[in-house]
């Protein structure tokens, strides 16, 4: 994958210069690298949130980089779960409403949406907090809600961009383990950008983004 951006001074910044990898189902890939190395850019391209300059992203035999905007939106809704550093939950909605929302948007039955959301919040040890507005929850609790929201549609591809960047070490470990076990138990694929060596060590393989390419630590 290649991707560059135009800087305000008119200069082209080449962020990705031939980043390439393949992942198997059931596998979680960690992407590390200093701030500004292009981790978020890579995840945005994998999830079809931004357009590649050059290269292809293929998942389950579907070439994401060739989909029309409408098909891409449906693909994202059905197949991809995102967890961001800043959770992007809707602050005035309750925890369970936030988690159920992707299913309601996908026109699933209310009863199913709320029961699945309730189960995920239970897995996230948030029983009793379901009806709290998320703005009243702690940072760690909010990020657990965000992970539950990402998993509610049973995504086949889970993309996490520094998901534990704003939580303490205990919550980070718990979130990382929940994310990895979802991928392994469901034969999904996980890609996680992280600064944390302990989080990366939970994953199956680690790449370092350097000079716009993905390198395995033994290459460095
Ligand atoms: P990381 O997530 O590893 O910190 P990013 O992918 O966010 O890195 O950014 C990589 C580089 O690309 C940075 O120099 C950033 O400023 C630049 N960049 C990212 N998105 C844009 C954009 N939409 N427009 C211009 N520059 C961008
Ligand atoms: Mg980033």
């Amino acid at each position: 994958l290649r991707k560059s951006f135009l800087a305000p001074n008119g200069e082209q910044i080449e962020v990705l210069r031939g980043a390439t990898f393949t992942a198997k189902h059931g596998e979680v890939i960690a992407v590390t690298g200093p701030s500004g190395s292009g981790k978020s850019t890579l995840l945005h391209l994998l999830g079809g949130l931004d357009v590649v300059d050059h290269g292809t992203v293929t998942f389950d035999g579907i070439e994401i980089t060739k989909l029309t905007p409408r098909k891409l939106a449906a693909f994202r809704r059905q197949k991809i779960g995102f967890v961001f550093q800043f959770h992007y939950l809707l602050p005035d909605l309750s925890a369970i409403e936030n988690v159920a929302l992707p299913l309601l948007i996908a026109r699933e039955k209310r009863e199913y949406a709320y029961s699945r959301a309730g189960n995920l919040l239970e897995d996230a040890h948030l029983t009793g907090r379901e009806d709290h507005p998320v703005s009243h929850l702690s940072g760690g609790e909010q990020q657990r809600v965000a992970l539950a929201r990402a998993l509610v549609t049973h995504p086949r591809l889970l993309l996490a961009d520094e998901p534990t960047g704003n939580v303490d070490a205990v919550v980070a470990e718990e979130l990382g383990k929940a994310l990895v076990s979802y991928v392994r138990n469901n034969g999904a694929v996980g890609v996680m950008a992280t600064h944390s060596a302990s989080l990366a060590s939970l994953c199956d393989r680690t790449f370092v983004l350097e000079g716009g390419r993905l390198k395995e630590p033994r290459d460095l």
Side-chain angles (χ1 to χ4, degrees):
L1 298 174
R2 292 182 162 271
K3 180 73 182 175
S4 56
F5 295 105
L6 196 58
N9 65 5
E11 200 184 315
Q12 262 322 93
I13 316 169
E14 287 188 67
V15 180
L16 301 180
R17 306 165 177 239
T20 180
F21 76 100
T22 307
K24 291 189 241 164
H25 285 285
E27 199 171 42
V28 190
I29 306 288
V31 178
T32 65
S35 181
S37 58
K39 301 180 297 296
S40 297
T41 302
L42 176 69
L43 290 184
H44 293 163
L45 297 182
L46 296 179
L49 294 175
D50 202 351
V51 187
V52 302
D53 292 342
H54 182 82
T56 55
V57 178
T58 305
F59 187 76
D60 275 355
I62 297 171
E63 198 174 323
I64 302 180
T65 30
K66 282 238 175 84
L67 295 176
T68 60
R70 195 189 163 87
K71 289 209 163 133
L72 180 60
F75 182 88
R76 266 204 307 266
R77 224 166 35 235
Q78 290 159 11
K79 300 260 188 170
I80 305 182
F82 285 101
V83 190
F84 300 97
Q85 179 175 6
F86 305 100
H87 51 72
Y88 298 127
L89 296 166
L90 297 173
D92 298 331
L93 295 188
S94 68
I96 198 160
E97 285 166 338
N98 268 281
V99 178
L101 198 57
L103 292 177
L104 298 174
I105 290 169
R107 296 169 186 266
E108 295 283 356
K109 291 217 169 68
R110 258 187 103 70
E111 196 185 339
Y112 166 72
Y114 278 85
S115 89
R116 169 130 180 91
N119 289 340
L120 282 163
L121 288 173
E122 192 181 328
D123 293 347
H125 309 296
L126 287 166
T127 304
R129 296 274 196 284
E130 297 95 332
D131 299 322
H132 292 223
V134 291
S135 57
H136 292 188
L137 301 179
S138 72
E141 287 170 337
Q142 290 175 349
Q143 203 58 330
R144 273 142 59 195
V145 174
L147 178 61
R149 180 187 55 181
L151 300 183
V152 78
T153 56
H154 290 106
R156 305 293 298 147
L157 175 59
L158 187 58
L159 300 174
D161 194 354
E162 303 195 35
T164 64
N166 283 315
V167 299
D168 66 44
V170 175
V171 175
E173 169 98 7
E174 180 192 319
L175 271 165
K177 284 186 171 160
L179 196 152
V180 168
S181 67
Y182 171 82
V183 170
R184 290 187 184 148
N185 295 338
N186 293 278
V189 172
V191 184
M192 172 159 52
T194 182
H195 276 123
S196 153
S198 68
L199 206 59
S201 73
L202 299 174
C203 300
D204 300 295
R205 277 191 294 155
T206 299
F207 288 109
V208 182
L209 198 45
E210 204 198 66
R213 290 164 176 268
L214 289 168
K215 303 191 173 165
E216 302 212 46
R218 61 179 150 81
D219 300 334
L220 296 174

